[in-house]
Amino acid sequence: MGGQYRITGDKYPRLRRPKRRRRLVLAVLASTTALGLVGWGTLQLIDVFTGDDQAAAAGPKADCSARVSPSPTAGKAGGKTSGKPESYPAPGKITVNVLNATPRSGLAKDTAEELKKRGFRIGNVGNATEEYDKKVKGTALLLGAKAAEDTALPVLNTQLADARLKTDGRKKATEVDLVIGTGFKALSKQKDADAALAELTRPKPTPTPTKTC
């Protein structure tokens, strides 16, 4: 080539990309990133301000699960439920009239002595009235006031098996009759009676719903 400037040698100048184009690409990338961050932040703000309303509208099932847990209440004989453990009087507060409705002599006396050893108070001891004499076919008949149905009668019932409970018109709830029937052999063993009494007065769990969050 001719002219004032000549290229000599085997090295040529490297052509570089204009700096303006590189800056433009970087600016576009920065703008895209900034817009993404702004959009994400906006969504977070929307969740903050609307999250409580959505949870309230969904109701308690959306954030809490109900679980049933037992709470203690007292039970009563025969599979029923009673209100409080103190509704059952202690044996020492129950007066038992022991009446023999069988032809066997001395049965009422022996039974009364055993009940006394177990802490019961003893009232009248003797033969049953004509209404029940030789007419009680099972183990025994336990008689008491209506108020004794859930108190004194179940306590006395722990001392023997298969007795029948019946209420009458008497007023005193802590005085009951044990009418010995023809099927009676003996009171329950002491350990069995104590276990039955403990089970009667032990608080029974009743399911109550509780929330776990």
Side-chain angles (χ1 to χ4, degrees):
M1 295 180 64
Q4 184 179 359
Y5 300 99
R6 295 176 179 271
I7 298 175
T8 60
D10 55 356
K11 294 184 180 180
Y12 299 92
R14 181 177 296 177
L15 299 179
R16 294 183 179 180
R17 184 177 297 176
K19 292 184 179 181
R20 181 179 302 176
R21 186 175 180 182
R22 180 181 298 176
R23 291 176 180 176
L24 180 60
V25 171
L26 292 176
V28 170
L29 290 176
S31 300
T32 304
T33 303
L35 288 175
L37 292 174
V38 170
W40 180 81
T42 303
L43 291 176
Q44 293 300 313
L45 290 174
I46 293 174
D47 289 340
V48 168
F49 288 106
T50 61
D52 293 339
D53 295 338
Q54 291 176 354
K61 292 183 180 179
D63 49 13
C64 292
S65 59
R67 182 179 63 183
V68 175
S69 61
S71 62
T73 58
K76 123 178 135 174
K80 301 178 183 179
T81 56
S82 179
K84 300 178 181 178
E86 57 263 30
S87 63
Y88 298 105
K93 295 183 178 180
I94 301 174
T95 301
V96 184
N97 301 316
V98 185
L99 307 174
N100 186 4
T102 76
R104 292 177 286 171
S105 61
L107 197 56
K109 180 177 178 294
D110 294 341
T111 303
E113 289 177 355
E114 182 61 29
L115 285 174
K116 186 176 181 179
K117 292 178 182 178
R118 300 183 182 188
F120 290 88
R121 299 175 62 183
I122 302 302
N124 298 325
V125 179
N127 293 326
T129 61
E130 184 179 356
E131 181 181 2
Y132 298 107
D133 189 28
K134 300 179 181 64
K135 297 176 183 178
V136 179
K137 303 298 182 182
T139 301
L141 175 65
L142 307 184
L143 291 171
K146 180 66 177 176
E149 183 179 13
D150 298 332
T151 55
L153 287 177
V155 174
L156 180 58
N157 193 36
T158 61
Q159 305 302 305
L160 63 167
D162 301 325
R164 184 163 58 95
L165 278 62
K166 183 180 177 181
T167 60
D168 54 20
R170 74 184 72 188
K171 301 297 182 183
K172 196 171 183 179
T174 56
E175 182 175 347
V176 296
D177 296 346
L178 168 57
V179 184
I180 300 174
T182 56
F184 179 85
K185 295 181 179 179
L187 294 173
S188 299
K189 293 181 179 180
Q190 178 77 59
K191 63 177 183 178
D192 295 335
D194 291 344
L197 182 59
E199 178 65 24
L200 176 71
T201 56
R202 180 182 297 121
K204 302 295 189 299
T206 300
T208 55
T210 58
K211 291 182 179 180
T212 58
C213 298

